[in-house]
Amino acid sequence: MFTRIVKMEFHEAKISAFLDNFDTVKEKIRNFPGCHFLELYRDKDDSSIFFTYSKWENVSDLETYRNSALFKNVWATTKPMFRSKAVAWSVDTEYSG
């Protein structure tokens, strides 16, 4: 299992639309095969910066999601709201307390 972290910076006027859309799709993403966990975080210093934090069984499950109609629709809706390009990391847990 590994964690996927995605940083997204939004135009201020688009945040409400992003949150509405996320609320609509979050359970679909969370219940996608191979996804074990999903959270959305908001930066404390810059309220237009968000992070998704998700745990995936394996890389092929994430790739299947990224090639799915669900992801394509989510991304087509979300990407135009960005004020800068999203940044993503796939990381392994070294310690969990």
Side-chain angles (χ1 to χ4, degrees):
M1 190 167 331
F2 72 99
T3 302
R4 181 73 165 183
I5 303 166
V6 181
K7 178 184 179 187
M8 301 168 288
E9 298 183 26
F10 291 92
H11 293 287
E12 196 70 38
K14 301 292 185 178
I15 293 172
S16 180
F18 163 70
L19 291 171
D20 287 346
N21 186 59
F22 186 81
D23 193 51
T24 300
V25 299
K26 65 186 178 189
E27 292 300 320
K28 294 175 187 171
I29 298 168
R30 171 56 191 88
N31 290 312
F32 199 88
C35 183
H36 293 274
F37 182 84
L38 174 65
E39 287 187 327
L40 178 67
Y41 302 121
R42 192 172 200 169
D43 189 85
K44 287 187 117 3
D45 297 321
D46 185 339
S47 63
S48 65
I49 298 176
F50 290 81
F51 298 85
T52 55
Y53 182 94
S54 56
K55 291 192 174 279
W56 293 86
E57 184 66 34
N58 55 58
V59 173
S60 64
D61 290 329
L62 175 60
E63 288 306 310
T64 298
Y65 166 67
R66 292 184 67 217
N67 290 307
S68 71
L70 173 59
F71 176 81
K72 290 175 183 173
N73 288 335
V74 168
W75 202 243
T77 301
T78 306
K79 190 175 177 181
M81 300 180 196
F82 293 157
R83 72 173 191 216
S84 63
K85 186 177 179 180
V87 181
W89 300 268
S90 291
V91 299
D92 292 319
T93 301
E94 290 292 321
Y95 171 80
S96 179

mmCIF file of all heavy atoms in Angstrom, residues 32-69:
data_model
loop_
_atom_site.group_PDB
_atom_site.id
_atom_site.type_symbol
_atom_site.label_atom_id
_atom_site.label_comp_id
_atom_site.label_asym_id
_atom_site.label_seq_id
_atom_site.Cartn_x
_atom_site.Cartn_y
_atom_site.Cartn_z
ATOM 1 N N PHE A 32 -13.566 3.547 -5.092
ATOM 2 C CA PHE A 32 -12.963 2.998 -6.304
ATOM 3 C C PHE A 32 -12.089 1.805 -5.905
ATOM 4 O O PHE A 32 -11.406 1.852 -4.878
ATOM 5 C CB PHE A 32 -12.129 4.066 -7.025
ATOM 6 C CG PHE A 32 -11.855 3.731 -8.450
ATOM 7 C CD1 PHE A 32 -12.745 4.103 -9.444
ATOM 8 C CD2 PHE A 32 -10.721 3.023 -8.805
ATOM 9 C CE1 PHE A 32 -12.510 3.783 -10.768
ATOM 10 C CE2 PHE A 32 -10.476 2.695 -10.123
ATOM 11 C CZ PHE A 32 -11.368 3.081 -11.112
ATOM 12 N N PRO A 33 -12.112 0.724 -6.685
ATOM 13 C CA PRO A 33 -11.305 -0.451 -6.331
ATOM 14 C C PRO A 33 -9.837 -0.094 -6.094
ATOM 15 O O PRO A 33 -9.212 0.573 -6.921
ATOM 16 C CB PRO A 33 -11.463 -1.364 -7.549
ATOM 17 C CG PRO A 33 -12.793 -0.982 -8.127
ATOM 18 C CD PRO A 33 -12.897 0.514 -7.902
ATOM 19 N N GLY A 34 -9.338 -0.505 -4.952
ATOM 20 C CA GLY A 34 -7.948 -0.263 -4.605
ATOM 21 C C GLY A 34 -7.727 0.944 -3.722
ATOM 22 O O GLY A 34 -6.666 1.093 -3.117
ATOM 23 N N CYS A 35 -8.720 1.843 -3.605
ATOM 24 C CA CYS A 35 -8.596 3.015 -2.736
ATOM 25 C C CYS A 35 -9.086 2.633 -1.339
ATOM 26 O O CYS A 35 -10.215 2.204 -1.162
ATOM 27 C CB CYS A 35 -9.406 4.195 -3.274
ATOM 28 S SG CYS A 35 -9.218 5.699 -2.271
ATOM 29 N N HIS A 36 -8.205 2.804 -0.355
ATOM 30 C CA HIS A 36 -8.535 2.422 1.020
ATOM 31 C C HIS A 36 -8.807 3.614 1.921
ATOM 32 O O HIS A 36 -9.294 3.435 3.043
ATOM 33 C CB HIS A 36 -7.385 1.607 1.623
ATOM 34 C CG HIS A 36 -7.205 0.281 0.981
ATOM 35 N ND1 HIS A 36 -7.902 -0.833 1.363
ATOM 36 C CD2 HIS A 36 -6.415 -0.099 -0.054
ATOM 37 C CE1 HIS A 36 -7.554 -1.856 0.618
ATOM 38 N NE2 HIS A 36 -6.647 -1.439 -0.250
ATOM 39 N N PHE A 37 -8.500 4.830 1.450
ATOM 40 C CA PHE A 37 -8.588 5.995 2.330
ATOM 41 C C PHE A 37 -8.543 7.246 1.470
ATOM 42 O O PHE A 37 -7.821 7.292 0.475
ATOM 43 C CB PHE A 37 -7.380 5.968 3.280
ATOM 44 C CG PHE A 37 -7.337 7.069 4.288
ATOM 45 C CD1 PHE A 37 -8.031 6.972 5.478
ATOM 46 C CD2 PHE A 37 -6.581 8.200 4.051
ATOM 47 C CE1 PHE A 37 -7.966 7.985 6.429
ATOM 48 C CE2 PHE A 37 -6.505 9.221 4.991
ATOM 49 C CZ PHE A 37 -7.206 9.105 6.179
ATOM 50 N N LEU A 38 -9.316 8.266 1.850
ATOM 51 C CA LEU A 38 -9.287 9.543 1.141
ATOM 52 C C LEU A 38 -9.613 10.663 2.120
ATOM 53 O O LEU A 38 -10.597 10.583 2.852
ATOM 54 C CB LEU A 38 -10.314 9.558 -0.002
ATOM 55 C CG LEU A 38 -10.494 10.889 -0.746
ATOM 56 C CD1 LEU A 38 -9.221 11.270 -1.493
ATOM 57 C CD2 LEU A 38 -11.684 10.818 -1.693
ATOM 58 N N GLU A 39 -8.746 11.686 2.139
ATOM 59 C CA GLU A 39 -9.023 12.888 2.911
ATOM 60 C C GLU A 39 -8.676 14.107 2.067
ATOM 61 O O GLU A 39 -7.837 14.036 1.162
ATOM 62 C CB GLU A 39 -8.211 12.929 4.208
ATOM 63 C CG GLU A 39 -8.709 11.963 5.250
ATOM 64 C CD GLU A 39 -8.017 12.109 6.586
ATOM 65 O OE1 GLU A 39 -6.821 12.457 6.634
ATOM 66 O OE2 GLU A 39 -8.691 11.838 7.602
ATOM 67 N N LEU A 40 -9.319 15.213 2.398
ATOM 68 C CA LEU A 40 -9.037 16.498 1.771
ATOM 69 C C LEU A 40 -8.561 17.440 2.866
ATOM 70 O O LEU A 40 -9.221 17.575 3.900
ATOM 71 C CB LEU A 40 -10.287 17.068 1.096
ATOM 72 C CG LEU A 40 -10.132 18.441 0.445
ATOM 73 C CD1 LEU A 40 -9.191 18.381 -0.759
ATOM 74 C CD2 LEU A 40 -11.489 18.991 0.028
ATOM 75 N N TYR A 41 -7.425 18.083 2.633
ATOM 76 C CA TYR A 41 -6.860 19.036 3.589
ATOM 77 C C TYR A 41 -6.831 20.422 2.977
ATOM 78 O O TYR A 41 -6.710 20.569 1.762
ATOM 79 C CB TYR A 41 -5.422 18.652 3.968
ATOM 80 C CG TYR A 41 -5.286 17.273 4.556
ATOM 81 C CD1 TYR A 41 -4.474 16.326 3.939
ATOM 82 C CD2 TYR A 41 -5.936 16.915 5.732
ATOM 83 C CE1 TYR A 41 -4.322 15.058 4.479
ATOM 84 C CE2 TYR A 41 -5.792 15.653 6.275
ATOM 85 C CZ TYR A 41 -4.978 14.725 5.641
ATOM 86 O OH TYR A 41 -4.826 13.476 6.178
ATOM 87 N N ARG A 42 -6.893 21.418 3.855
ATOM 88 C CA ARG A 42 -6.804 22.820 3.425
ATOM 89 C C ARG A 42 -5.667 23.489 4.184
ATOM 90 O O ARG A 42 -5.563 23.348 5.406
ATOM 91 C CB ARG A 42 -8.118 23.538 3.711
ATOM 92 C CG ARG A 42 -8.237 24.893 3.051
ATOM 93 C CD ARG A 42 -9.637 25.433 3.242
ATOM 94 N NE ARG A 42 -9.930 26.467 2.271
ATOM 95 C CZ ARG A 42 -11.141 26.967 2.079
ATOM 96 N NH1 ARG A 42 -12.163 26.520 2.791
ATOM 97 N NH2 ARG A 42 -11.337 27.905 1.180
ATOM 98 N N ASP A 43 -4.832 24.206 3.466
ATOM 99 C CA ASP A 43 -3.685 24.883 4.063
ATOM 100 C C ASP A 43 -4.136 25.922 5.093
ATOM 101 O O ASP A 43 -5.097 26.657 4.854
ATOM 102 C CB ASP A 43 -2.857 25.548 2.964
ATOM 103 C CG ASP A 43 -1.540 26.073 3.478
ATOM 104 O OD1 ASP A 43 -0.583 25.283 3.541
ATOM 105 O OD2 ASP A 43 -1.477 27.275 3.811
ATOM 106 N N LYS A 44 -3.452 25.978 6.217
ATOM 107 C CA LYS A 44 -3.811 26.924 7.277
ATOM 108 C C LYS A 44 -3.441 28.363 6.931
ATOM 109 O O LYS A 44 -4.082 29.291 7.399
ATOM 110 C CB LYS A 44 -3.140 26.534 8.592
ATOM 111 C CG LYS A 44 -3.768 25.311 9.234
ATOM 112 C CD LYS A 44 -3.198 25.062 10.591
ATOM 113 C CE LYS A 44 -4.124 25.143 11.747
ATOM 114 N NZ LYS A 44 -5.495 25.379 11.640
ATOM 115 N N ASP A 45 -2.401 28.545 6.126
ATOM 116 C CA ASP A 45 -1.927 29.899 5.808
ATOM 117 C C ASP A 45 -2.482 30.450 4.507
ATOM 118 O O ASP A 45 -2.576 31.667 4.344
ATOM 119 C CB ASP A 45 -0.400 29.923 5.762
ATOM 120 C CG ASP A 45 0.203 29.596 7.115
ATOM 121 O OD1 ASP A 45 -0.343 30.050 8.147
ATOM 122 O OD2 ASP A 45 1.222 28.870 7.136
ATOM 123 N N ASP A 46 -2.812 29.589 3.582
ATOM 124 C CA ASP A 46 -3.349 30.014 2.285
ATOM 125 C C ASP A 46 -4.587 29.168 1.995
ATOM 126 O O ASP A 46 -4.478 28.011 1.575
ATOM 127 C CB ASP A 46 -2.306 29.838 1.185
ATOM 128 C CG ASP A 46 -2.764 30.363 -0.166
ATOM 129 O OD1 ASP A 46 -3.989 30.504 -0.386
ATOM 130 O OD2 ASP A 46 -1.892 30.611 -1.020
ATOM 131 N N SER A 47 -5.756 29.722 2.212
ATOM 132 C CA SER A 47 -7.007 28.961 2.125
ATOM 133 C C SER A 47 -7.369 28.538 0.705
ATOM 134 O O SER A 47 -8.357 27.829 0.507
ATOM 135 C CB SER A 47 -8.153 29.757 2.740
ATOM 136 O OG SER A 47 -8.373 30.947 2.011
ATOM 137 N N SER A 48 -6.569 28.929 -0.278
ATOM 138 C CA SER A 48 -6.829 28.493 -1.656
ATOM 139 C C SER A 48 -5.991 27.272 -2.034
ATOM 140 O O SER A 48 -6.060 26.801 -3.167
ATOM 141 C CB SER A 48 -6.573 29.637 -2.634
ATOM 142 O OG SER A 48 -5.211 29.998 -2.631
ATOM 143 N N ILE A 49 -5.201 26.753 -1.085
ATOM 144 C CA ILE A 49 -4.384 25.556 -1.325
ATOM 145 C C ILE A 49 -5.021 24.368 -0.616
ATOM 146 O O ILE A 49 -5.324 24.422 0.581
ATOM 147 C CB ILE A 49 -2.939 25.759 -0.837
ATOM 148 C CG1 ILE A 49 -2.270 26.894 -1.613
ATOM 149 C CG2 ILE A 49 -2.139 24.463 -0.990
ATOM 150 C CD1 ILE A 49 -0.872 27.228 -1.127
ATOM 151 N N PHE A 50 -5.200 23.292 -1.373
ATOM 152 C CA PHE A 50 -5.784 22.056 -0.861
ATOM 153 C C PHE A 50 -4.862 20.892 -1.203
ATOM 154 O O PHE A 50 -4.097 20.950 -2.162
ATOM 155 C CB PHE A 50 -7.159 21.801 -1.496
ATOM 156 C CG PHE A 50 -8.214 22.757 -1.048
ATOM 157 C CD1 PHE A 50 -8.313 24.015 -1.622
ATOM 158 C CD2 PHE A 50 -9.118 22.409 -0.056
ATOM 159 C CE1 PHE A 50 -9.282 24.902 -1.225
ATOM 160 C CE2 PHE A 50 -10.092 23.294 0.352
ATOM 161 C CZ PHE A 50 -10.183 24.547 -0.228
ATOM 162 N N PHE A 51 -4.995 19.830 -0.415
ATOM 163 C CA PHE A 51 -4.263 18.595 -0.665
ATOM 164 C C PHE A 51 -5.246 17.434 -0.579
ATOM 165 O O PHE A 51 -6.069 17.395 0.341
ATOM 166 C CB PHE A 51 -3.192 18.358 0.408
ATOM 167 C CG PHE A 51 -2.138 19.411 0.466
ATOM 168 C CD1 PHE A 51 -2.340 20.569 1.204
ATOM 169 C CD2 PHE A 51 -0.936 19.244 -0.196
ATOM 170 C CE1 PHE A 51 -1.357 21.546 1.286
ATOM 171 C CE2 PHE A 51 0.055 20.212 -0.120
ATOM 172 C CZ PHE A 51 -0.156 21.369 0.614
ATOM 173 N N THR A 52 -5.150 16.515 -1.511
ATOM 174 C CA THR A 52 -5.838 15.240 -1.325
ATOM 175 C C THR A 52 -4.790 14.253 -0.832
ATOM 176 O O THR A 52 -3.624 14.288 -1.238
ATOM 177 C CB THR A 52 -6.505 14.702 -2.602
ATOM 178 O OG1 THR A 52 -5.548 14.616 -3.651
ATOM 179 C CG2 THR A 52 -7.680 15.575 -3.010
ATOM 180 N N TYR A 53 -5.218 13.399 0.058
ATOM 181 C CA TYR A 53 -4.362 12.397 0.669
ATOM 182 C C TYR A 53 -5.122 11.089 0.549
ATOM 183 O O TYR A 53 -6.203 10.940 1.141
ATOM 184 C CB TYR A 53 -4.146 12.791 2.133
ATOM 185 C CG TYR A 53 -3.240 11.903 2.926
ATOM 186 C CD1 TYR A 53 -1.886 12.199 3.059
ATOM 187 C CD2 TYR A 53 -3.739 10.784 3.593
ATOM 188 C CE1 TYR A 53 -1.054 11.393 3.825
ATOM 189 C CE2 TYR A 53 -2.908 9.979 4.357
ATOM 190 C CZ TYR A 53 -1.567 10.290 4.470
ATOM 191 O OH TYR A 53 -0.748 9.499 5.224
ATOM 192 N N SER A 54 -4.606 10.180 -0.255
ATOM 193 C CA SER A 54 -5.311 8.914 -0.473
ATOM 194 C C SER A 54 -4.347 7.750 -0.352
ATOM 195 O O SER A 54 -3.155 7.879 -0.630
ATOM 196 C CB SER A 54 -6.009 8.899 -1.840
ATOM 197 O OG SER A 54 -5.093 9.146 -2.892
ATOM 198 N N LYS A 55 -4.882 6.621 0.085
ATOM 199 C CA LYS A 55 -4.087 5.400 0.214
ATOM 200 C C LYS A 55 -4.602 4.389 -0.806
ATOM 201 O O LYS A 55 -5.811 4.159 -0.907
ATOM 202 C CB LYS A 55 -4.178 4.838 1.627
ATOM 203 C CG LYS A 55 -3.476 5.720 2.643
ATOM 204 C CD LYS A 55 -3.338 5.009 3.961
ATOM 205 C CE LYS A 55 -2.520 5.845 4.916
ATOM 206 N NZ LYS A 55 -1.102 5.715 4.699
ATOM 207 N N TRP A 56 -3.647 3.801 -1.539
ATOM 208 C CA TRP A 56 -3.962 2.868 -2.615
ATOM 209 C C TRP A 56 -3.277 1.537 -2.375
ATOM 210 O O TRP A 56 -2.156 1.490 -1.872
ATOM 211 C CB TRP A 56 -3.522 3.459 -3.951
ATOM 212 C CG TRP A 56 -4.335 4.663 -4.296
ATOM 213 C CD1 TRP A 56 -4.099 5.954 -3.911
ATOM 214 C CD2 TRP A 56 -5.543 4.684 -5.043
ATOM 215 N NE1 TRP A 56 -5.092 6.780 -4.383
ATOM 216 C CE2 TRP A 56 -5.990 6.019 -5.090
ATOM 217 C CE3 TRP A 56 -6.296 3.704 -5.687
ATOM 218 C CZ2 TRP A 56 -7.151 6.389 -5.750
ATOM 219 C CZ3 TRP A 56 -7.458 4.073 -6.350
ATOM 220 C CH2 TRP A 56 -7.872 5.405 -6.379
ATOM 221 N N GLU A 57 -3.977 0.473 -2.765
ATOM 222 C CA GLU A 57 -3.444 -0.873 -2.597
ATOM 223 C C GLU A 57 -2.143 -1.042 -3.374
ATOM 224 O O GLU A 57 -1.158 -1.542 -2.852
ATOM 225 C CB GLU A 57 -4.479 -1.912 -3.037
ATOM 226 C CG GLU A 57 -4.049 -3.334 -2.798
ATOM 227 C CD GLU A 57 -3.914 -3.659 -1.318
ATOM 228 O OE1 GLU A 57 -4.676 -3.135 -0.491
ATOM 229 O OE2 GLU A 57 -3.013 -4.454 -0.995
ATOM 230 N N ASN A 58 -2.149 -0.615 -4.645
ATOM 231 C CA ASN A 58 -0.943 -0.701 -5.461
ATOM 232 C C ASN A 58 -1.001 0.318 -6.596
ATOM 233 O O ASN A 58 -2.039 0.933 -6.830
ATOM 234 C CB ASN A 58 -0.711 -2.130 -5.989
ATOM 235 C CG ASN A 58 -1.904 -2.658 -6.746
ATOM 236 O OD1 ASN A 58 -2.326 -2.054 -7.716
ATOM 237 N ND2 ASN A 58 -2.448 -3.778 -6.309
ATOM 238 N N VAL A 59 0.110 0.485 -7.269
ATOM 239 C CA VAL A 59 0.222 1.491 -8.328
ATOM 240 C C VAL A 59 -0.759 1.205 -9.459
ATOM 241 O O VAL A 59 -1.345 2.136 -10.022
ATOM 242 C CB VAL A 59 1.677 1.556 -8.850
ATOM 243 C CG1 VAL A 59 1.789 2.466 -10.065
ATOM 244 C CG2 VAL A 59 2.601 2.048 -7.744
ATOM 245 N N SER A 60 -0.973 -0.048 -9.783
ATOM 246 C CA SER A 60 -1.896 -0.363 -10.880
ATOM 247 C C SER A 60 -3.327 0.064 -10.548
ATOM 248 O O SER A 60 -4.074 0.467 -11.443
ATOM 249 C CB SER A 60 -1.830 -1.842 -11.258
ATOM 250 O OG SER A 60 -2.250 -2.658 -10.194
ATOM 251 N N ASP A 61 -3.729 0.010 -9.276
ATOM 252 C CA ASP A 61 -5.063 0.492 -8.895
ATOM 253 C C ASP A 61 -5.175 1.993 -9.112
ATOM 254 O O ASP A 61 -6.183 2.488 -9.623
ATOM 255 C CB ASP A 61 -5.370 0.167 -7.431
ATOM 256 C CG ASP A 61 -5.584 -1.306 -7.185
ATOM 257 O OD1 ASP A 61 -6.078 -2.000 -8.093
ATOM 258 O OD2 ASP A 61 -5.258 -1.765 -6.077
ATOM 259 N N LEU A 62 -4.150 2.741 -8.727
ATOM 260 C CA LEU A 62 -4.155 4.186 -8.964
ATOM 261 C C LEU A 62 -4.187 4.486 -10.453
ATOM 262 O O LEU A 62 -4.940 5.357 -10.898
ATOM 263 C CB LEU A 62 -2.938 4.845 -8.315
ATOM 264 C CG LEU A 62 -2.772 6.342 -8.596
ATOM 265 C CD1 LEU A 62 -3.964 7.151 -8.092
ATOM 266 C CD2 LEU A 62 -1.467 6.853 -8.003
ATOM 267 N N GLU A 63 -3.411 3.758 -11.226
ATOM 268 C CA GLU A 63 -3.396 3.984 -12.679
ATOM 269 C C GLU A 63 -4.746 3.640 -13.306
ATOM 270 O O GLU A 63 -5.199 4.333 -14.217
ATOM 271 C CB GLU A 63 -2.263 3.198 -13.339
ATOM 272 C CG GLU A 63 -0.898 3.782 -13.042
ATOM 273 C CD GLU A 63 -0.788 5.258 -13.400
ATOM 274 O OE1 GLU A 63 -1.156 5.645 -14.519
ATOM 275 O OE2 GLU A 63 -0.335 6.036 -12.539
ATOM 276 N N THR A 64 -5.394 2.598 -12.813
ATOM 277 C CA THR A 64 -6.731 2.258 -13.309
ATOM 278 C C THR A 64 -7.696 3.399 -13.013
ATOM 279 O O THR A 64 -8.492 3.789 -13.873
ATOM 280 C CB THR A 64 -7.237 0.944 -12.672
ATOM 281 O OG1 THR A 64 -6.340 -0.109 -13.045
ATOM 282 C CG2 THR A 64 -8.641 0.601 -13.134
ATOM 283 N N TYR A 65 -7.608 3.953 -11.808
ATOM 284 C CA TYR A 65 -8.439 5.113 -11.460
ATOM 285 C C TYR A 65 -8.112 6.296 -12.372
ATOM 286 O O TYR A 65 -9.014 6.948 -12.903
ATOM 287 C CB TYR A 65 -8.236 5.499 -9.988
ATOM 288 C CG TYR A 65 -8.796 6.854 -9.661
ATOM 289 C CD1 TYR A 65 -10.171 7.095 -9.699
ATOM 290 C CD2 TYR A 65 -7.957 7.920 -9.338
ATOM 291 C CE1 TYR A 65 -10.687 8.356 -9.427
ATOM 292 C CE2 TYR A 65 -8.468 9.178 -9.058
ATOM 293 C CZ TYR A 65 -9.828 9.391 -9.110
ATOM 294 O OH TYR A 65 -10.334 10.640 -8.853
ATOM 295 N N ARG A 66 -6.840 6.581 -12.576
ATOM 296 C CA ARG A 66 -6.432 7.739 -13.387
ATOM 297 C C ARG A 66 -6.866 7.596 -14.853
ATOM 298 O O ARG A 66 -6.978 8.587 -15.561
ATOM 299 C CB ARG A 66 -4.928 7.950 -13.287
ATOM 300 C CG ARG A 66 -4.541 8.402 -11.873
ATOM 301 C CD ARG A 66 -3.079 8.728 -11.736
ATOM 302 N NE ARG A 66 -2.807 9.909 -12.530
ATOM 303 C CZ ARG A 66 -1.688 10.099 -13.221
ATOM 304 N NH1 ARG A 66 -0.743 9.199 -13.228
ATOM 305 N NH2 ARG A 66 -1.512 11.204 -13.908
ATOM 306 N N ASN A 67 -7.106 6.367 -15.292
ATOM 307 C CA ASN A 67 -7.579 6.127 -16.661
ATOM 308 C C ASN A 67 -9.086 5.913 -16.745
ATOM 309 O O ASN A 67 -9.612 5.637 -17.817
ATOM 310 C CB ASN A 67 -6.850 4.923 -17.261
ATOM 311 C CG ASN A 67 -5.395 5.237 -17.539
ATOM 312 O OD1 ASN A 67 -5.081 6.213 -18.210
ATOM 313 N ND2 ASN A 67 -4.501 4.421 -17.018
ATOM 314 N N SER A 68 -9.773 6.076 -15.628
ATOM 315 C CA SER A 68 -11.213 5.823 -15.582
ATOM 316 C C SER A 68 -12.017 7.043 -16.012
ATOM 317 O O SER A 68 -11.541 8.180 -15.984
ATOM 318 C CB SER A 68 -11.635 5.432 -14.158
ATOM 319 O OG SER A 68 -11.569 6.561 -13.300
ATOM 320 N N ALA A 69 -13.266 6.801 -16.378
ATOM 321 C CA ALA A 69 -14.187 7.890 -16.710
ATOM 322 C C ALA A 69 -14.406 8.790 -15.495
ATOM 323 O O ALA A 69 -14.523 10.012 -15.634
ATOM 324 C CB ALA A 69 -15.517 7.321 -17.208
#
